[in-house]
Amino acid sequence: MPELIAVHGDITRQDVDAIVNAANNAMRGGGGVDGAIHRAGGPDILRDCIARFPHGLATGDAGWTTAGRLPARWVIHTVGPNHTAGERDRSLLVSCYRRSLEVADELGAVSVAFPLISAGVYGWPKQDAVAAAVETVSATSTRVAEVRLVGFDERTYRDIRDAIRVLG
């Protein structure tokens, strides 16, 4: 099990091997975390997305690109379920975390930072999104040594921190 750390801050400023992007199926940039990562990382990320994912990416899957100008080496893109649009299968959300860690292992990443996937504009209930993140990361066999769960706002950070404490 990797060391699980709650962080309050901006995912684009995390100095880790890989940051995880809560992407959309098209893999062409978007709003929220996706837009912030593309803006901060620059056009190399989009160019790599177009080359690696010409037909996009399925919900629950993950793949990687360069991190462009970000402090990380790679961006691991994963597509969470859109709860607001009726995608309510929790196994797809769990798959995002598992698949991202599998990709991190393929890359040899030792440290990875995740946002809270699907909890923003995709409307996944925040407490369940936190539980899915903490439970899945802690139960997934991986060579990643450190996983940061990054809460952009204070409330999300506290929720993540508290869930990690309960885990023990």
Side-chain angles (χ1 to χ4, degrees), residues 138-157:
S138 65
T140 299
S141 177
T142 180
R143 290 185 304 278
V144 173
E146 176 186 295
V147 171
R148 298 178 189 179
L149 294 176
V150 181
F152 185 73
D153 59 76
E154 180 69 27
R155 170 80 186 210
T156 302
Y157 159 72

Side-chain angles (χ1 to χ4, degrees), residues 76-98:
I76 298 172
H77 305 266
T78 190
V79 180
N82 187 337
H83 193 274
T84 304
E87 293 178 329
R88 304 208 171 153
D89 182 352
R90 192 175 194 262
S91 70
L92 291 171
L93 181 58
V94 167
S95 180
C96 290
Y97 290 97
R98 275 201 196 113

Side-chain angles (χ1 to χ4, degrees), residues 22-24 30-34 81-85 116-124 126:
N24 60 49
V33 170
D34 193 19
N82 187 337
H83 193 274
T84 304
L116 198 54
I117 298 166
S118 289
V121 70
Y122 279 9
W124 201 274
K126 188 152 305 178

Side-chain angles (χ1 to χ4, degrees), residues 25-112:
N25 295 103
M27 299 294 295
R28 300 298 182 260
V33 170
D34 193 19
I37 287 172
H38 278 268
R39 283 189 301 278
D44 289 346
I45 297 174
L46 180 58
R47 277 194 287 275
D48 212 5
C49 280
I50 292 167
R52 291 179 184 276
F53 310 105
H55 305 292
L57 194 62
T59 302
D61 202 0
W64 66 275
T65 65
T66 181
R69 297 187 304 247
L70 296 167
R73 184 169 177 191
W74 300 288
V75 175
I76 298 172
H77 305 266
T78 190
V79 180
N82 187 337
H83 193 274
T84 304
E87 293 178 329
R88 304 208 171 153
D89 182 352
R90 192 175 194 262
S91 70
L92 291 171
L93 181 58
V94 167
S95 180
C96 290
Y97 290 97
R98 275 201 196 113
R99 282 289 300 130
S100 294
L101 289 170
E102 288 171 4
V103 171
D105 282 344
E106 291 167 12
L107 294 168
V110 175
S111 56
V112 177

